[in-house]
Amino acid sequence: MQRRTFASGALIAPVGLVGLASFGASPVRGQASETSSGPWAMGAHPDFTLDVRADKVELFGKSIDALLVGQTWPGTPIRYRKGERFRVLVNNHLAEPTSIHWHGLILPNLEDGVPSVTQSPILPSTSLYYEFELKQAGTFWYHSHFGLQEQQGLLGALIIDDPDEPNDYDEDVTIVLGDVTDIPVDDVIGKLRGGSLQADPHEPYTMPDGSAFPIDVPYLGYLLNGKTPETPWTQALRAGRRARLRFINASGSTFFRVAIDGLSMMVVACDGDAVEPVEADDVIIGTAQRYDVLVTLPESGSYTIHAAALGDDKQAIGVLHTKDTTPNANTGRPKLDGRSLDVATLQATEPTELPAGPVTRHTVELTGEMKKYLWAMNGNVWPEPYAKFADDQAAESYYDVAFGQNVRFDFVNHTMMAHPMHLHGHVFRVIGNGDTKADAPLRDTVVVYPKQKISIEFVANNPGKWFFHCHNIWHLATGMAQAVRYEV
């Protein structure tokens, strides 16, 4: 079986999926490119078409302005096999531009979907076709990278099967978590800056050690596969059979602490890459991160999934149940008193150390001003829609690298907020301060907790200009981003 190593330069992930996404079967992929002939065979032959439209959805008793793909939240699921060509057509039916980013994929720079960085926006009533080779397998997702559209539901699951899947399981379930605001998204940052929007939950969920988890944006509620706790998503499974649950945190800014009543979870992958299996009773999933876990329903019954929103007193809920049992959701607070996954103990299934040679290091200072509601990397504020305020000037700023370099980013978080930091077009080793273990796990999004120092390493082997940012949508919209730029 092929494993991912940095030394090989062939960035290939061993993690994949079997079966269909639980919230709906993926559309059948077209065969046009294999069967067409003549001059027209060189054209676009999409396997999936993503129709993006504005709509109203009823959630938590309110009418919410949403941006949907295929008229659902989460949107149309995409499924491929490693080695196939990704062929997706995006049709923009909105009255504003959009763009789609394929989160976690190692792909050609011009296919990455970031306006002003890798492409022009997809204008209203126009289309754009994406095509490239899939070098990975695992659990990924897609989302808008234009303004605050992601917060309104413009997102979906992206699953890539592995023909050499190492894990044994009988059923496959995809679980997409999200958050919902009833405040017009364009008003949120102004309210934060004016002091009229504050989070004040009654009994907020905490970190495993009991410490508080600060949040700044209060949400109306939380979704699990598009469903609210009042009418939860359910999935029938067979008792005694192993299921793979693929959790995708597609929220705007929420961290979820996930547990399942009566079941332990065997964590087998994070952000699409395999890890040595480790058992846990609850797992914290930062914004944009993914975890794959194996579970077995031991006997006939109903088992509630709790996705508790850290820093809030609300949760998203789903129910796994055996086919002979009516699903019964436990809407009470989860106890969360078992074994929490310690991410510092995660190990890749194969060595991930960098090739021999010098390592170019960059310090990444994460800072923020709550009164101005501006967030920065090394004092730089990227020109996002809400990034200029008072006397602060937004401008593009870069970390310059050269092809083939070993690169290390040392994060220093000076703020009281957690920042899920995402680097486009690459995966990286996550290492503690001064820790260079050979089997450090690979990720594409790393959480830098308040006042924490943590480092990532990668080989600069995918040329281009790549966005590098906090995946908290409100922090990004106010400037917490830079870019990694390859120079000759």
Side-chain angles (χ1 to χ4, degrees):
M1 173 182 164
Q2 206 162 12
R3 297 283 186 179
R4 181 193 309 233
T5 63
F6 280 113
S8 70
L11 293 171
I12 308 171
V15 182
L17 295 163
V18 179
L20 295 174
S22 63
F23 53 84
S26 299
V28 176
R29 296 197 292 276
Q31 300 298 316
S33 64
E34 286 80 10
T35 58
S36 298
S37 61
W40 306 115
M42 298 301 293
H45 299 287
D47 299 321
F48 297 90
T49 297
L50 305 185
D51 285 302
V52 180
R53 288 185 171 89
D55 205 347
K56 295 276 190 179
V57 294
E58 294 294 324
L59 294 170
F60 305 101
K62 294 194 175 184
S63 179
I64 306 296
D65 290 322
L67 304 178
L68 305 179
V69 182
Q71 299 182 310
T72 61
W73 182 344
T76 304
I78 297 174
R79 180 177 235 103
Y80 277 100
R81 288 171 66 85
K82 185 177 72 176
E84 292 183 326
R85 290 196 69 77
F86 183 93
R87 301 178 302 193
V88 175
L89 175 65
V90 178
N91 293 326
N92 182 11
H93 300 277
L94 304 177
E96 62 181 352
T98 191
S99 70
I100 304 295
H101 168 56
W102 319 105
H103 186 107
L105 293 194
I106 297 167
L107 74 179
N109 186 245
L110 296 181
E111 305 282 350
D112 194 48
V114 183
S116 82
V117 178
T118 60
Q119 71 166 75
S120 297
I122 307 172
L123 297 177
S125 300
T126 67
S127 301
L128 187 63
Y129 178 68
Y130 296 84
E131 181 173 357
F132 49 89
E133 181 185 355
L134 291 167
K135 298 182 179 182
Q136 298 154 276
T139 304
F140 304 94
W141 65 301
Y142 67 86
H143 59 83
S144 171
H145 227 301
F146 189 89
L148 300 170
Q149 292 177 349
E150 177 192 336
Q151 182 67 74
Q152 296 177 272
L154 210 171
L155 53 91
L158 170 53
I159 309 303
I160 307 174
D161 295 324
D162 190 347
D164 299 316
E165 170 58 49
N167 293 288
D168 181 26
Y169 50 91
D170 306 293
E171 312 212 38
D172 187 327
V173 180
T174 301
I175 298 173
V176 182
L177 303 172
D179 46 23
V180 178
T181 177
D182 58 336
I183 301 170
V185 291
D186 289 325
D187 294 345
V188 170
I189 291 170
K191 289 179 177 292
L192 288 168
R193 287 172 169 166
S196 63
L197 185 62
Q198 297 180 355
D200 186 24
H202 174 65
E203 190 179 354
Y205 293 104
T206 66
M207 296 290 289
D209 63 0
S211 60
F213 185 87
I215 62 173
D216 44 16
V217 175
Y219 282 101
L220 178 64
Y222 302 93
L223 304 177
L224 190 153
N225 281 347
K227 298 291 187 179
T228 68
E230 291 73 26
T231 56
W233 167 90
T234 66
Q235 177 67 44
L237 300 173
R238 292 171 288 177
R241 307 297 292 272
R242 177 180 284 183
R244 184 167 190 155
L245 309 182
R246 305 178 184 275
F247 288 99
I248 301 172
N249 185 346
S251 69
S253 65
T254 301
F255 282 44
F256 292 98
R257 191 171 173 188
V258 175
I260 307 174
D261 288 343
L263 298 179
S264 64
M265 297 177 282
M266 186 69 71
V267 179
V268 296
C270 61
D271 289 4
D273 272 286
V275 295
E276 293 292 345
V278 58
E279 199 165 8
D281 295 309
D282 71 75
V283 178
I284 293 175
I285 311 178
T287 300
Q289 292 186 324
R290 292 88 63 210
Y291 280 95
D292 295 12
V293 307
L294 302 179
V295 300
T296 301
L297 276 57
E299 59 186 16
S300 177
S302 187
Y303 304 83
T304 298
I305 302 171
H306 299 270
L310 290 183
D312 203 346
D313 52 13
K314 305 183 187 77
Q315 62 179 319
I317 283 177
V319 182
L320 304 175
H321 65 99
T322 52
K323 296 182 179 180
D324 61 338
T325 303
T326 300
N328 181 26
N330 170 18
T331 58
R333 285 177 66 94
K335 294 182 179 180
L336 301 176
D337 55 1
R339 299 160 297 176
S340 296
L341 176 67
D342 181 358
V343 295
T345 66
L346 290 176
Q347 298 174 285
T349 55
E350 294 288 337
T352 61
E353 65 268 0
L354 300 178
V359 178
T360 301
R361 298 181 65 163
H362 300 269
T363 299
V364 184
E365 307 272 355
L366 305 179
T367 57
E369 296 182 59
M370 286 301 295
K371 186 175 181 180
K372 292 183 177 181
Y373 206 80
L374 276 174
W375 302 89
M377 297 170 63
N378 286 352
N380 298 307
V381 179
W382 189 270
E384 286 290 311
Y386 299 89
K388 185 177 179 181
F389 186 70
D391 297 325
D392 296 281
Q393 299 295 318
E396 293 189 6
S397 51
Y398 303 95
Y399 296 97
D400 288 327
V401 302
F403 182 76
Q405 274 186 341
N406 293 330
V407 182
R408 176 167 173 162
F409 287 130
D410 297 310
F411 292 103
V412 182
N413 186 356
H414 296 281
T415 79
M416 294 306 296
M417 303 289 292
H419 300 291
M421 302 302 298
H422 173 49
L423 173 60
H424 289 219
H426 300 74
V427 295
F428 45 72
R429 291 164 32 90
V430 179
I431 55 179
N433 190 31
D435 179 9
T436 57
K437 62 184 183 181
D439 57 0
L442 300 178
R443 307 204 71 135
D444 55 61
T445 307
V446 62
V447 175
V448 189
Y449 284 99
K451 304 300 181 181
Q452 185 186 33
K453 295 181 180 180
I454 197 169
S455 300
I456 63 173
E457 294 180 334
F458 63 97
V459 178
N461 56 5
N462 195 8
K465 183 170 74 171
W466 299 98
F467 212 32
F468 181 32
H469 64 94
C470 177
H471 222 286
N472 179 313
I473 197 168
W474 313 111
H475 297 174
L476 170 59
T478 53
M480 199 170 201
Q482 291 189 254
V484 172
R485 180 174 61 181
Y486 283 67
E487 287 194 325
V488 178

